[in-house]
Amino acid sequence: MLGDDEILTVTLADSAAGLRLDRALAEALPDLSRERVKTLIKGGRVADAKGAVLWDPSAKASAAATLAVRLPTPAPAHNVAQDMDLVIAYEDEHLIVVDKPAGMVVHPAAGNLDGTMVNALLHHCAGQLSGIGGVARPGIVHRIDKDTSGLIVAAKHDKAHEGLAKQFAAHSIDRRYLALATGRPTPANGTVDAALGRSSTNRKKMAVVAEGRGKRAVTHYRTIEPLKGATLVECRLETGRTHQVRVHMAHIGHPLVGDPVYGRVKKPLSETLKARNFARQALHAAHLGFIHPVTGNRVALDSELPADMRELIDELRV
């Protein structure tokens, strides 16, 4: 250690000869992303065996070269770690998948500075976070709404964060939601391909907008079971936009049961929801599939419907 720095001694493989220095080091240090390595080099934190600082990330690496990397201790996150119950669907030294309950906010923001999933992860993963961009925090690459339940993945270090982010950007993550839509979608199975952007009348809402004004959004839905006044559907996301399932289902005339923003429920279904005190959108992130960003293995996880949705479905069965 030097001050608060951890000194990593790295011997490059023979195959690193001729590669850019940042690439060669990133391959030798699997917990660090290439961007993080580049930042370390530009910050004067990489030296050769003679102690000469290597400043150029694009310099050619030499085979079997021994390098010293001064890795600063990750700065503590500004958010407070809190001991909260979490349902863990999957966890290893690289990432964690949480089965989030409805009502839990994912990330601290104005009005929700604590009691969030990030606060809980900071406590649960204490000592395991090697840092995202130099900060000891979980890497959240996607979010689900406060009142939506289900699976969400977070990275523990740069390399995992970068790998997951690339998959989300490439739309290769398999994300499927179970939802209760009002009425009977027609056709029973279909695709909604409609760009989403901020509503021009309410900036807190998303809306279907003209092509070119928002971001392309694609939802594939299929009917699972017709119910009284509603339909249990599976929605597979090809893209992942804010409120995508909620807005797309409302757009085709079948807003989600209980959605306080994008839909209104008529009698007698509204009376059933009131009697059950069901006051959230009936939406659950039920399946999450991705390629593990470090091991390369396929990860596929399923989450059962929470009790409030199961009980509501039972009551609405024809």
Side-chain angles (χ1 to χ4, degrees), residues 82-105:
Q82 292 178 295
D83 186 1
M84 300 163 59
D85 289 336
L86 284 175
V87 177
I88 308 301
Y90 176 91
E91 182 177 15
D92 61 20
E93 64 269 37
H94 308 294
L95 53 87
I96 183 170
V97 180
V98 174
D99 198 339
K100 186 187 85 68
M104 177 181 275
V105 174

Side-chain angles (χ1 to χ4, degrees), residues 225-245:
E225 182 182 359
L227 304 165
K228 288 184 288 188
T231 303
L232 177 62
V233 296
E234 179 191 77
C235 295
R236 181 173 61 83
L237 301 189
E238 187 171 317
T239 57
R241 310 302 180 199
T242 302
H243 297 178
Q244 179 172 316
V245 173

Side-chain angles (χ1 to χ4, degrees), residues 3-84:
D4 290 331
D5 292 348
E6 179 183 1
I7 308 300
L8 303 179
T9 301
V10 182
T11 300
L12 301 181
D14 291 341
S15 59
L19 296 179
R20 282 177 55 112
L21 179 61
D22 55 357
R23 179 181 171 187
L25 263 180
E27 291 182 358
L29 298 170
D31 284 355
L32 299 182
S33 69
R34 187 165 169 182
E35 283 303 312
R36 180 72 173 133
V37 168
K38 188 181 296 185
T39 299
L40 292 172
I41 295 171
K42 289 183 175 180
R45 291 183 169 274
V46 177
D48 64 17
K50 296 180 180 179
V53 176
L54 306 177
W55 295 93
D56 185 3
S58 65
K60 300 301 182 184
S62 300
T66 298
L67 306 176
V69 180
R70 290 174 51 206
L71 191 64
T73 300
H78 294 302
N79 306 120
V80 178
Q82 292 178 295
D83 186 1
M84 300 163 59

Side-chain angles (χ1 to χ4, degrees), residues 10-297:
V10 182
T11 300
L12 301 181
D14 291 341
S15 59
L19 296 179
R20 282 177 55 112
L21 179 61
D22 55 357
R23 179 181 171 187
L25 263 180
E27 291 182 358
L29 298 170
D31 284 355
L32 299 182
S33 69
R34 187 165 169 182
E35 283 303 312
R36 180 72 173 133
V37 168
K38 188 181 296 185
T39 299
L40 292 172
I41 295 171
K42 289 183 175 180
R45 291 183 169 274
V46 177
D48 64 17
K50 296 180 180 179
V53 176
L54 306 177
W55 295 93
D56 185 3
S58 65
K60 300 301 182 184
S62 300
T66 298
L67 306 176
V69 180
R70 290 174 51 206
L71 191 64
T73 300
H78 294 302
N79 306 120
V80 178
Q82 292 178 295
D83 186 1
M84 300 163 59
D85 289 336
L86 284 175
V87 177
I88 308 301
Y90 176 91
E91 182 177 15
D92 61 20
E93 64 269 37
H94 308 294
L95 53 87
I96 183 170
V97 180
V98 174
D99 198 339
K100 186 187 85 68
M104 177 181 275
V105 174
V106 171
H107 205 282
N112 290 290
L113 297 178
D114 59 9
T116 72
M117 194 184 84
V118 165
N119 297 116
L121 285 175
L122 286 170
H123 180 273
H124 178 84
C125 300
Q128 302 176 53
L129 301 173
S130 65
I132 307 295
V135 179
R137 60 183 172 88
I140 306 294
V141 290
H142 70 123
R143 301 185 188 185
I144 53 181
D145 299 333
K146 172 185 175 182
D147 290 326
T148 298
S149 53
L151 300 169
I152 180 168
V153 61
K156 293 184 178 181
H157 55 70
D158 266 313
K159 193 74 170 182
H161 187 261
E162 182 182 65
L164 288 170
K166 285 180 178 179
Q167 292 181 63
F168 275 95
H171 309 309
S172 61
I173 302 285
D174 185 3
R175 282 193 287 170
R176 303 178 206 174
Y177 287 75
L178 290 176
L180 286 175
T182 54
R184 294 277 186 279
T186 304
N189 307 317
T191 295
V192 185
D193 187 342
L196 297 180
R198 290 288 170 186
S199 168
S200 58
T201 58
N202 185 342
R203 298 299 293 172
K204 293 183 179 181
K205 295 176 62 174
M206 303 300 290
V208 170
V209 298
E211 192 171 345
R213 193 169 81 80
K215 294 182 178 179
R216 188 182 182 219
V218 181
T219 302
H220 305 281
Y221 72 88
R222 68 181 182 92
T223 291
I224 295 176
E225 182 182 359
L227 304 165
K228 288 184 288 188
T231 303
L232 177 62
V233 296
E234 179 191 77
C235 295
R236 181 173 61 83
L237 301 189
E238 187 171 317
T239 57
R241 310 302 180 199
T242 302
H243 297 178
Q244 179 172 316
V245 173
R246 299 166 65 187
V247 178
H248 272 176
M249 294 308 293
H251 178 64
I252 63 172
H254 302 281
L256 300 191
V257 169
D259 193 328
V261 177
Y262 299 104
R264 290 183 179 177
V265 178
K266 300 177 182 179
K267 293 182 179 181
L269 181 55
S270 61
E271 295 174 331
T272 301
L273 297 184
K274 185 176 181 181
R276 288 196 156 275
N277 196 28
F278 193 98
R280 72 172 180 103
Q281 62 269 9
L283 183 62
H284 179 68
H287 179 84
L288 183 64
F290 55 90
I291 302 299
H292 194 292
V294 178
T295 68
N297 295 329

